[in-house]
Amino acid sequence: EGFLDWSHLQTLIRVDSETRDHSGRCLAYETRYFLCSFAPERLTPSQWLHAVRAHWGVESAPQAHGKEGSTMS
């Protein structure tokens, strides 16, 4: 019931990402999971990746964290 009702869930995406320095040395490795009510075939793998990157782009934008020098409208 409520938050325990996942009947609308259709897609689970796992994204493994690495952060590397200029020499190519791995600095960090992270696994993220994304849940979606869209059917998996609704998007191509490239489109899913774009959607994930767009989501994290919003989350990590300077405006989202109130960084000095940013403006919010």
Side-chain angles (χ1 to χ4, degrees):
E1 224 177 285
F3 70 90
L4 296 177
D5 178 15
W6 294 69
S7 60
H8 62 285
L9 178 65
Q10 294 192 46
T11 302
L12 168 68
I13 299 170
R14 176 183 160 176
V15 176
D16 296 318
S17 62
E18 295 179 348
T19 303
R20 296 184 171 269
D21 64 16
H22 294 291
S23 68
R25 183 181 57 158
C26 185
L27 301 174
Y29 184 84
E30 190 172 38
T31 299
R32 296 180 186 130
Y33 294 91
F34 298 88
L35 309 174
C36 188
S37 60
F38 291 169
E41 62 275 359
R42 182 168 176 178
L43 300 175
T44 67
S46 293
Q47 290 171 320
W48 281 113
L49 185 57
H50 177 76
V52 166
R53 287 180 172 162
H55 169 78
W56 281 103
V58 168
E59 292 289 322
S60 63
Q63 297 86 348
H65 298 289
K67 299 279 187 199
E68 190 174 6
S70 65
T71 59
M72 298 179 77
S73 313

